[in-house]
Amino acid sequence: MAVETRERLAVGRSVTKVDGPSLVVGKPVFTLDLDVPGALVGKILPSPHAHAEIVSVDTADAEAVPGVRAVLHFGNVPRVPHTTAGQGWPEPSPYDTVLFDRKVRFVGDRVAAVAAETEEAAEEALAKIRVEYKVLPAVFSPEEALADGAPVIHDEPDAEGIYDAKHNIAAAVDIPVGDVASALAEAHVTVEATCEIPYSQHAAIEPHCVIAYFDEAGRLVLRSSTQVPFHVRRIVARVAGLDPARIRVIKPRIGGGFGSKQEILLEPVAALLALRTGRPVRMAYSREEVFVASRTRHPMRVSVKLGAGKDGVLQAIDMEVLSNTGAYGAHALTVLSNVGSKTLPLYNKAPHLRFHGKAVYTNLPVAGAYRGYGATQGYFALEVAMDALAERLGIDPVELRRRNHTRVGETSPIFEKIGEGREGTAQVIRSCALAECLKVGAARIGWKEKRGQRQENGPWVHGVGMACAMQGSGITGVDMAAATLVMQDDGSFRLLVGATDLGTGSDTILAQIAAEELGVPVDRVLVYSSDTDFTPFDTGAYASSTTYVSGNAVLRAAQSVRGQILAVAAAALGERPEVLRISGGIVESRRTGKRLTLSEVGHRVTYVVDQKQIAATESFLCPESPPPFAAFFCEVAVDRETGVVRVVRFVVAADCGTAIHPKAAEGQLEGAILQGIGHALCEEMQFSASGRCVNAGFFDYKLPTSLDAPQIEAILVPSEEPTGPWGAKSISEIGINGPLPAISNAIYDAIGVRLVRAPFTPQRVRFVLGASP
């Protein structure tokens, strides 16, 4: 589609967020802020064992606790295999989960649930549920799980979609392009890097929570802090055995998600407790439960081999992945696939590629969607390997990227080879400002002046490092969004979208896209998001899809409504629609100067002549996934005595096409960079020898706070994506892909040793310093 190039009045401006003023004064109502009279409190009994069969469950004492209204366990609920991954149907994740099973597979797995009048009664009842376990051998690493004779974690006969259950392999991928072995053998130089990333938590401010209640017609209403309301509706209907038409899901304001709320976890439990009692039920994870029982990033070990000619142009890339999906396979295949699909196309000069990997079950907490979605793990190894290749060849790392990165008009076979659990779609890069990102970022960090200088100050030594990344904008052939736009009789508009604003500002961005097309100020577009009864379908907030996929649906709806407005105005003014324009809420003839306000148009069509409703519902299916690009540069200081690493300054230059709301885009980058710094320096879930998480809380799990944040400079380098709404691409995920490799490469520049196991704690830095010659 053609990109509009006229002066833009709503797009490209950092307008006041549509929910900003109310958020500042604490007005928005979050999930649990709603008072539902008579609501019971729902609580879950977790497993104390990493792997065990449940021999028996005795709930007599629990049910005798005053105020207890229901106790659910495997013996009294239907057994319905499903996946908790909120993905488009058919879900590519295995159906390896039931609501309550005879077997538990990690410490924290669901054993039973209670609904009671008070939280105290619910807790007392949980303590009185008597469970007899037969403890089974457990495995706590992919290597243990793949070993001969390892216990089989999923031996249930009704699971579906597991790649190789007998060997604990949830998913596997093997993608060859060309002849990698021969190309590596013939390359002028080869390098290899193996990098590991551990369990880490999303740490959204608001925990997972839901209220289940019944409306006046007896329909089940789920008010949930979810990123995927329509997937919640579909999966709860399956698990609870309800007609989907009997379920309504409301997404109020959300206090963050980062992918963790793309899972359907509490909703089916709350639904069954409500159905069993006939009462409303409120449920919320404690912070410890969020850590253990929600979802985490997939721990991975990624190995990359690169082969290049003398000129640094890549001839071969071989990437191998071993992913730990935990006890269940939610997102196992798709996160694994993204490790390759979001990284290998960046360096498309290599004609020979191989991407191979396994996602393996273990008896540890369940991994799932997390900002970056596999690309973060892949770029860690790929960009450390690129740094090593630059050193071997004596080529500046920035220059090496310039010689190898993709450009406008180019493609990669990986686009077609790897999709969302199936083959992907061929696509050509239509917008790419990565070369400019490299130039701007290098200048801002002072790359030429600082690289290789190792400035020293006592025990501290400084170094600089860099990395590149791309991501995507939605999932080709899968992600679909719709939008409904209605003109009011006063000339204002209602925009109904199923897209979910997690605090990202997407409600504002979608209003800007509509306002630009309609020629009105943003505050004339009222956004409603999202409610499965009243807003049209949207796959939800994931895969960096909202601005591109939902935004295109909004733009199409606005174009349709604009056409209807011009037709009404043309009849009123005695003009042809082609000579009319809309600006500032006024329809004006370029030929005669005749004018009508939108308020007059709305009044006329509602009450006066040819009465009808001006409205449109349009949808957009993602035909391709235009990648945003980014170049990351950082300066670190390393204390050679203590091993402490301090990020002094971080610069990111990113191409997200047209930034619909520049400050919101910069905010996405800054937040993702700080999250990535946490991955690099301090974040790691730790486990006891029996598989229990020992730092499941904000006191023990180390997150960077505002006091730890270095100077972060986010630079938006514009391009125009011709398939995007007003030229826009995504920005929400790419920022987290760069900090790990950029910081690792900067540490190498400072002290000459490579850190390849995250996080780069003082102990690990001291260890590699001690091991270096």
Side-chain angles (χ1 to χ4, degrees), residues 560-600:
S560 176
V561 165
R562 186 174 188 272
Q564 296 174 52
I565 292 170
L566 293 180
V568 172
L573 296 172
E575 298 275 4
R576 291 179 290 109
E578 295 78 17
V579 303
L580 300 181
R581 63 184 175 195
I582 309 176
S583 180
I586 295 172
V587 185
E588 183 178 26
S589 168
R590 286 189 289 265
R591 187 173 67 86
T592 64
K594 292 180 181 177
R595 321 173 88 200
L596 272 180
T597 66
L598 288 182
S599 176
E600 290 170 324

mmCIF file of all heavy atoms in Angstrom, residues 560-600:
data_model
loop_
_atom_site.group_PDB
_atom_site.id
_atom_site.type_symbol
_atom_site.label_atom_id
_atom_site.label_comp_id
_atom_site.label_asym_id
_atom_site.label_seq_id
_atom_site.Cartn_x
_atom_site.Cartn_y
_atom_site.Cartn_z
ATOM 1 N N SER A 560 -12.554 3.683 5.535
ATOM 2 C CA SER A 560 -13.940 3.430 5.137
ATOM 3 C C SER A 560 -14.873 4.513 5.689
ATOM 4 O O SER A 560 -15.735 5.040 4.971
ATOM 5 C CB SER A 560 -14.382 2.055 5.636
ATOM 6 O OG SER A 560 -15.742 1.838 5.329
ATOM 7 N N VAL A 561 -14.681 4.847 6.961
ATOM 8 C CA VAL A 561 -15.537 5.882 7.567
ATOM 9 C C VAL A 561 -15.289 7.230 6.897
ATOM 10 O O VAL A 561 -16.232 7.998 6.641
ATOM 11 C CB VAL A 561 -15.264 5.952 9.080
ATOM 12 C CG1 VAL A 561 -15.839 7.240 9.680
ATOM 13 C CG2 VAL A 561 -15.857 4.736 9.774
ATOM 14 N N ARG A 562 -14.060 7.522 6.570
ATOM 15 C CA ARG A 562 -13.753 8.785 5.895
ATOM 16 C C ARG A 562 -14.490 8.863 4.553
ATOM 17 O O ARG A 562 -15.050 9.921 4.189
ATOM 18 C CB ARG A 562 -12.247 8.898 5.672
ATOM 19 C CG ARG A 562 -11.787 10.229 5.101
ATOM 20 C CD ARG A 562 -10.250 10.276 5.055
ATOM 21 N NE ARG A 562 -9.771 11.586 4.696
ATOM 22 C CZ ARG A 562 -9.589 11.992 3.460
ATOM 23 N NH1 ARG A 562 -9.858 11.187 2.467
ATOM 24 N NH2 ARG A 562 -9.156 13.215 3.226
ATOM 25 N N GLY A 563 -14.512 7.746 3.835
ATOM 26 C CA GLY A 563 -15.224 7.740 2.565
ATOM 27 C C GLY A 563 -16.713 7.996 2.744
ATOM 28 O O GLY A 563 -17.338 8.719 1.948
ATOM 29 N N GLN A 564 -17.291 7.425 3.796
ATOM 30 C CA GLN A 564 -18.717 7.646 4.057
ATOM 31 C C GLN A 564 -18.982 9.111 4.425
ATOM 32 O O GLN A 564 -19.991 9.689 4.024
ATOM 33 C CB GLN A 564 -19.184 6.722 5.180
ATOM 34 C CG GLN A 564 -19.107 5.238 4.833
ATOM 35 C CD GLN A 564 -19.437 4.353 6.029
ATOM 36 O OE1 GLN A 564 -20.467 4.518 6.670
ATOM 37 N NE2 GLN A 564 -18.553 3.421 6.335
ATOM 38 N N ILE A 565 -18.094 9.697 5.189
ATOM 39 C CA ILE A 565 -18.251 11.109 5.572
ATOM 40 C C ILE A 565 -18.206 11.998 4.336
ATOM 41 O O ILE A 565 -19.035 12.914 4.163
ATOM 42 C CB ILE A 565 -17.135 11.514 6.568
ATOM 43 C CG1 ILE A 565 -17.335 10.804 7.898
ATOM 44 C CG2 ILE A 565 -17.093 13.032 6.752
ATOM 45 C CD1 ILE A 565 -16.157 10.959 8.851
ATOM 46 N N LEU A 566 -17.246 11.724 3.460
ATOM 47 C CA LEU A 566 -17.115 12.553 2.266
ATOM 48 C C LEU A 566 -18.341 12.420 1.367
ATOM 49 O O LEU A 566 -18.771 13.405 0.740
ATOM 50 C CB LEU A 566 -15.849 12.177 1.504
ATOM 51 C CG LEU A 566 -14.524 12.501 2.211
ATOM 52 C CD1 LEU A 566 -13.347 12.076 1.356
ATOM 53 C CD2 LEU A 566 -14.424 13.985 2.542
ATOM 54 N N ALA A 567 -18.931 11.235 1.329
ATOM 55 C CA ALA A 567 -20.130 11.054 0.502
ATOM 56 C C ALA A 567 -21.292 11.888 1.051
ATOM 57 O O ALA A 567 -22.035 12.539 0.286
ATOM 58 C CB ALA A 567 -20.503 9.570 0.456
ATOM 59 N N VAL A 568 -21.451 11.879 2.361
ATOM 60 C CA VAL A 568 -22.525 12.673 2.976
ATOM 61 C C VAL A 568 -22.271 14.159 2.771
ATOM 62 O O VAL A 568 -23.168 14.939 2.402
ATOM 63 C CB VAL A 568 -22.631 12.345 4.486
ATOM 64 C CG1 VAL A 568 -23.597 13.306 5.184
ATOM 65 C CG2 VAL A 568 -23.082 10.901 4.682
ATOM 66 N N ALA A 569 -21.033 14.576 2.994
ATOM 67 C CA ALA A 569 -20.702 16.000 2.850
ATOM 68 C C ALA A 569 -20.847 16.453 1.398
ATOM 69 O O ALA A 569 -21.292 17.580 1.123
ATOM 70 C CB ALA A 569 -19.286 16.248 3.349
ATOM 71 N N ALA A 570 -20.459 15.576 0.460
ATOM 72 C CA ALA A 570 -20.556 15.927 -0.957
ATOM 73 C C ALA A 570 -22.000 16.212 -1.339
ATOM 74 O O ALA A 570 -22.308 17.190 -2.059
ATOM 75 C CB ALA A 570 -19.986 14.811 -1.815
ATOM 76 N N ALA A 571 -22.907 15.363 -0.847
ATOM 77 C CA ALA A 571 -24.322 15.577 -1.148
ATOM 78 C C ALA A 571 -24.818 16.881 -0.532
ATOM 79 O O ALA A 571 -25.603 17.620 -1.144
ATOM 80 C CB ALA A 571 -25.140 14.393 -0.633
ATOM 81 N N ALA A 572 -24.359 17.178 0.652
ATOM 82 C CA ALA A 572 -24.808 18.390 1.338
ATOM 83 C C ALA A 572 -24.260 19.643 0.682
ATOM 84 O O ALA A 572 -24.943 20.678 0.614
ATOM 85 C CB ALA A 572 -24.379 18.338 2.807
ATOM 86 N N LEU A 573 -23.024 19.570 0.191
ATOM 87 C CA LEU A 573 -22.371 20.771 -0.372
ATOM 88 C C LEU A 573 -22.561 20.896 -1.879
ATOM 89 O O LEU A 573 -22.184 21.908 -2.474
ATOM 90 C CB LEU A 573 -20.866 20.713 -0.068
ATOM 91 C CG LEU A 573 -20.470 20.756 1.414
ATOM 92 C CD1 LEU A 573 -18.980 20.497 1.586
ATOM 93 C CD2 LEU A 573 -20.860 22.081 2.044
ATOM 94 N N GLY A 574 -23.108 19.853 -2.499
ATOM 95 C CA GLY A 574 -23.255 19.885 -3.956
ATOM 96 C C GLY A 574 -21.908 19.795 -4.653
ATOM 97 O O GLY A 574 -21.683 20.419 -5.691
ATOM 98 N N GLU A 575 -21.023 19.014 -4.066
ATOM 99 C CA GLU A 575 -19.669 18.852 -4.624
ATOM 100 C C GLU A 575 -19.409 17.379 -4.896
ATOM 101 O O GLU A 575 -20.164 16.500 -4.455
ATOM 102 C CB GLU A 575 -18.629 19.363 -3.605
ATOM 103 C CG GLU A 575 -18.744 20.838 -3.276
ATOM 104 C CD GLU A 575 -18.011 21.710 -4.282
ATOM 105 O OE1 GLU A 575 -17.482 21.149 -5.269
ATOM 106 O OE2 GLU A 575 -17.969 22.939 -4.092
ATOM 107 N N ARG A 576 -18.322 17.108 -5.627
ATOM 108 C CA ARG A 576 -17.886 15.728 -5.771
ATOM 109 C C ARG A 576 -16.986 15.349 -4.587
ATOM 110 O O ARG A 576 -16.202 16.193 -4.130
ATOM 111 C CB ARG A 576 -17.121 15.557 -7.079
ATOM 112 C CG ARG A 576 -17.989 15.678 -8.326
ATOM 113 C CD ARG A 576 -17.154 15.519 -9.605
ATOM 114 N NE ARG A 576 -16.273 16.659 -9.813
ATOM 115 C CZ ARG A 576 -14.955 16.628 -9.682
ATOM 116 N NH1 ARG A 576 -14.358 15.488 -9.320
ATOM 117 N NH2 ARG A 576 -14.219 17.690 -9.900
ATOM 118 N N PRO A 577 -17.070 14.101 -4.089
ATOM 119 C CA PRO A 577 -16.230 13.717 -2.957
ATOM 120 C C PRO A 577 -14.745 13.920 -3.223
ATOM 121 O O PRO A 577 -13.973 14.205 -2.308
ATOM 122 C CB PRO A 577 -16.565 12.227 -2.766
ATOM 123 C CG PRO A 577 -17.929 12.060 -3.328
ATOM 124 C CD PRO A 577 -18.007 13.027 -4.481
ATOM 125 N N GLU A 578 -14.331 13.772 -4.501
ATOM 126 C CA GLU A 578 -12.909 13.849 -4.827
ATOM 127 C C GLU A 578 -12.312 15.224 -4.559
ATOM 128 O O GLU A 578 -11.086 15.347 -4.406
ATOM 129 C CB GLU A 578 -12.679 13.503 -6.311
ATOM 130 C CG GLU A 578 -13.024 12.082 -6.686
ATOM 131 C CD GLU A 578 -14.524 11.848 -6.851
ATOM 132 O OE1 GLU A 578 -15.274 12.840 -6.991
ATOM 133 O OE2 GLU A 578 -14.937 10.680 -6.809
ATOM 134 N N VAL A 579 -13.125 16.262 -4.493
ATOM 135 C CA VAL A 579 -12.571 17.608 -4.292
ATOM 136 C C VAL A 579 -12.641 18.014 -2.827
ATOM 137 O O VAL A 579 -12.284 19.141 -2.476
ATOM 138 C CB VAL A 579 -13.308 18.662 -5.160
ATOM 139 C CG1 VAL A 579 -13.231 18.273 -6.621
ATOM 140 C CG2 VAL A 579 -14.763 18.863 -4.719
ATOM 141 N N LEU A 580 -13.110 17.106 -1.977
ATOM 142 C CA LEU A 580 -13.244 17.436 -0.552
ATOM 143 C C LEU A 580 -12.035 16.937 0.231
ATOM 144 O O LEU A 580 -11.422 15.924 -0.101
ATOM 145 C CB LEU A 580 -14.523 16.811 0.001
ATOM 146 C CG LEU A 580 -15.837 17.241 -0.654
ATOM 147 C CD1 LEU A 580 -17.004 16.539 0.034
ATOM 148 C CD2 LEU A 580 -16.016 18.764 -0.605
ATOM 149 N N ARG A 581 -11.741 17.663 1.296
ATOM 150 C CA ARG A 581 -10.703 17.213 2.212
ATOM 151 C C ARG A 581 -11.197 17.412 3.638
ATOM 152 O O ARG A 581 -12.101 18.223 3.883
ATOM 153 C CB ARG A 581 -9.408 18.000 2.010
ATOM 154 C CG ARG A 581 -9.550 19.491 2.321
ATOM 155 C CD ARG A 581 -8.268 20.221 2.002
ATOM 156 N NE ARG A 581 -8.443 21.671 2.191
ATOM 157 C CZ ARG A 581 -7.589 22.562 1.723
ATOM 158 N NH1 ARG A 581 -6.525 22.172 1.050
ATOM 159 N NH2 ARG A 581 -7.806 23.849 1.916
ATOM 160 N N ILE A 582 -10.622 16.665 4.572
ATOM 161 C CA ILE A 582 -10.996 16.805 5.977
ATOM 162 C C ILE A 582 -9.759 17.232 6.756
ATOM 163 O O ILE A 582 -8.710 16.579 6.686
ATOM 164 C CB ILE A 582 -11.534 15.486 6.578
ATOM 165 C CG1 ILE A 582 -12.638 14.896 5.697
ATOM 166 C CG2 ILE A 582 -12.057 15.726 7.993
ATOM 167 C CD1 ILE A 582 -13.139 13.533 6.184
ATOM 168 N N SER A 583 -9.899 18.297 7.506
ATOM 169 C CA SER A 583 -8.792 18.751 8.343
ATOM 170 C C SER A 583 -9.358 19.567 9.497
ATOM 171 O O SER A 583 -10.268 20.382 9.296
ATOM 172 C CB SER A 583 -7.819 19.612 7.527
ATOM 173 O OG SER A 583 -6.747 20.056 8.346
ATOM 174 N N GLY A 584 -8.833 19.320 10.683
ATOM 175 C CA GLY A 584 -9.271 20.088 11.844
ATOM 176 C C GLY A 584 -10.739 19.919 12.165
ATOM 177 O O GLY A 584 -11.371 20.830 12.707
ATOM 178 N N GLY A 585 -11.319 18.798 11.797
ATOM 179 C CA GLY A 585 -12.734 18.551 12.074
ATOM 180 C C GLY A 585 -13.666 19.227 11.089
ATOM 181 O O GLY A 585 -14.870 19.340 11.356
ATOM 182 N N ILE A 586 -13.136 19.685 9.944
ATOM 183 C CA ILE A 586 -13.942 20.389 8.941
ATOM 184 C C ILE A 586 -13.762 19.730 7.576
ATOM 185 O O ILE A 586 -12.636 19.412 7.181
ATOM 186 C CB ILE A 586 -13.533 21.880 8.846
ATOM 187 C CG1 ILE A 586 -13.870 22.583 10.164
ATOM 188 C CG2 ILE A 586 -14.203 22.581 7.670
ATOM 189 C CD1 ILE A 586 -13.337 23.978 10.261
ATOM 190 N N VAL A 587 -14.886 19.530 6.882
ATOM 191 C CA VAL A 587 -14.846 19.059 5.504
ATOM 192 C C VAL A 587 -14.925 20.285 4.611
ATOM 193 O O VAL A 587 -15.846 21.099 4.734
ATOM 194 C CB VAL A 587 -16.024 18.103 5.190
ATOM 195 C CG1 VAL A 587 -15.879 17.535 3.779
ATOM 196 C CG2 VAL A 587 -16.109 16.990 6.218
ATOM 197 N N GLU A 588 -13.968 20.427 3.714
ATOM 198 C CA GLU A 588 -13.889 21.639 2.896
ATOM 199 C C GLU A 588 -13.642 21.285 1.436
ATOM 200 O O GLU A 588 -12.887 20.351 1.143
ATOM 201 C CB GLU A 588 -12.761 22.549 3.399
ATOM 202 C CG GLU A 588 -12.653 23.868 2.652
ATOM 203 C CD GLU A 588 -11.560 24.746 3.213
ATOM 204 O OE1 GLU A 588 -10.607 24.183 3.808
ATOM 205 O OE2 GLU A 588 -11.637 25.966 3.075
ATOM 206 N N SER A 589 -14.285 22.043 0.556
ATOM 207 C CA SER A 589 -14.072 21.839 -0.869
ATOM 208 C C SER A 589 -12.826 22.599 -1.308
ATOM 209 O O SER A 589 -12.692 23.804 -1.071
ATOM 210 C CB SER A 589 -15.280 22.342 -1.679
ATOM 211 O OG SER A 589 -14.956 22.396 -3.064
ATOM 212 N N ARG A 590 -11.898 21.866 -1.957
ATOM 213 C CA ARG A 590 -10.718 22.549 -2.499
ATOM 214 C C ARG A 590 -11.090 23.386 -3.702
ATOM 215 O O ARG A 590 -10.363 24.297 -4.087
ATOM 216 C CB ARG A 590 -9.668 21.502 -2.897
ATOM 217 C CG ARG A 590 -8.957 20.850 -1.731
ATOM 218 C CD ARG A 590 -7.800 19.994 -2.225
ATOM 219 N NE ARG A 590 -8.279 18.803 -2.890
ATOM 220 C CZ ARG A 590 -8.436 17.621 -2.290
ATOM 221 N NH1 ARG A 590 -8.123 17.495 -1.013
ATOM 222 N NH2 ARG A 590 -8.892 16.587 -2.950
ATOM 223 N N ARG A 591 -12.238 23.119 -4.279
ATOM 224 C CA ARG A 591 -12.646 23.834 -5.482
ATOM 225 C C ARG A 591 -13.369 25.134 -5.152
ATOM 226 O O ARG A 591 -13.059 26.195 -5.689
ATOM 227 C CB ARG A 591 -13.565 22.928 -6.318
ATOM 228 C CG ARG A 591 -13.932 23.461 -7.678
ATOM 229 C CD ARG A 591 -14.702 22.419 -8.465
ATOM 230 N NE ARG A 591 -16.006 22.160 -7.856
ATOM 231 C CZ ARG A 591 -17.106 22.881 -8.109
ATOM 232 N NH1 ARG A 591 -17.046 23.878 -8.981
ATOM 233 N NH2 ARG A 591 -18.250 22.583 -7.534
ATOM 234 N N THR A 592 -14.325 25.097 -4.215
ATOM 235 C CA THR A 592 -15.173 26.277 -3.955
ATOM 236 C C THR A 592 -14.988 26.853 -2.558
ATOM 237 O O THR A 592 -15.468 27.953 -2.282
ATOM 238 C CB THR A 592 -16.649 25.898 -4.111
ATOM 239 O OG1 THR A 592 -16.983 24.925 -3.109
ATOM 240 C CG2 THR A 592 -16.930 25.347 -5.508
ATOM 241 N N GLY A 593 -14.345 26.118 -1.684
ATOM 242 C CA GLY A 593 -14.181 26.579 -0.303
ATOM 243 C C GLY A 593 -15.396 26.347 0.573
ATOM 244 O O GLY A 593 -15.415 26.754 1.743
ATOM 245 N N LYS A 594 -16.445 25.721 0.032
ATOM 246 C CA LYS A 594 -17.611 25.389 0.858
ATOM 247 C C LYS A 594 -17.194 24.452 1.983
ATOM 248 O O LYS A 594 -16.355 23.580 1.793
ATOM 249 C CB LYS A 594 -18.694 24.712 0.009
ATOM 250 C CG LYS A 594 -19.348 25.610 -1.030
ATOM 251 C CD LYS A 594 -20.394 24.806 -1.800
ATOM 252 C CE LYS A 594 -21.067 25.626 -2.861
ATOM 253 N NZ LYS A 594 -22.031 24.816 -3.641
ATOM 254 N N ARG A 595 -17.850 24.586 3.169
ATOM 255 C CA ARG A 595 -17.400 23.838 4.335
ATOM 256 C C ARG A 595 -18.560 23.273 5.136
ATOM 257 O O ARG A 595 -19.640 23.830 5.160
ATOM 258 C CB ARG A 595 -16.571 24.730 5.273
ATOM 259 C CG ARG A 595 -15.668 25.686 4.599
ATOM 260 C CD ARG A 595 -15.033 26.625 5.599
ATOM 261 N NE ARG A 595 -13.813 26.115 6.166
ATOM 262 C CZ ARG A 595 -13.283 26.546 7.294
ATOM 263 N NH1 ARG A 595 -13.898 27.473 7.998
ATOM 264 N NH2 ARG A 595 -12.163 26.044 7.747
ATOM 265 N N LEU A 596 -18.290 22.189 5.798
ATOM 266 C CA LEU A 596 -19.188 21.617 6.808
ATOM 267 C C LEU A 596 -18.318 21.109 7.949
ATOM 268 O O LEU A 596 -17.239 20.540 7.715
ATOM 269 C CB LEU A 596 -19.963 20.423 6.251
ATOM 270 C CG LEU A 596 -21.285 20.622 5.526
ATOM 271 C CD1 LEU A 596 -21.812 19.243 5.101
ATOM 272 C CD2 LEU A 596 -22.306 21.315 6.415
ATOM 273 N N THR A 597 -18.759 21.307 9.164
ATOM 274 C CA THR A 597 -18.034 20.679 10.274
ATOM 275 C C THR A 597 -18.444 19.214 10.365
ATOM 276 O O THR A 597 -19.530 18.821 9.906
ATOM 277 C CB THR A 597 -18.346 21.366 11.610
ATOM 278 O OG1 THR A 597 -19.723 21.145 11.921
ATOM 279 C CG2 THR A 597 -18.064 22.861 11.548
ATOM 280 N N LEU A 598 -17.570 18.409 10.975
ATOM 281 C CA LEU A 598 -17.936 17.004 11.169
ATOM 282 C C LEU A 598 -19.152 16.879 12.070
ATOM 283 O O LEU A 598 -19.938 15.935 11.954
ATOM 284 C CB LEU A 598 -16.747 16.221 11.746
ATOM 285 C CG LEU A 598 -15.580 15.970 10.785
ATOM 286 C CD1 LEU A 598 -14.497 15.157 11.472
ATOM 287 C CD2 LEU A 598 -16.056 15.242 9.531
ATOM 288 N N SER A 599 -19.311 17.842 12.978
ATOM 289 C CA SER A 599 -20.490 17.837 13.824
ATOM 290 C C SER A 599 -21.752 18.013 12.968
ATOM 291 O O SER A 599 -22.770 17.340 13.192
ATOM 292 C CB SER A 599 -20.390 18.961 14.866
ATOM 293 O OG SER A 599 -21.576 19.036 15.634
ATOM 294 N N GLU A 600 -21.663 18.883 11.964
ATOM 295 C CA GLU A 600 -22.814 19.083 11.074
ATOM 296 C C GLU A 600 -23.061 17.845 10.220
ATOM 297 O O GLU A 600 -24.215 17.471 9.967
ATOM 298 C CB GLU A 600 -22.582 20.314 10.192
ATOM 299 C CG GLU A 600 -22.628 21.622 10.974
ATOM 300 C CD GLU A 600 -22.158 22.812 10.161
ATOM 301 O OE1 GLU A 600 -21.217 22.662 9.348
ATOM 302 O OE2 GLU A 600 -22.713 23.910 10.345
#
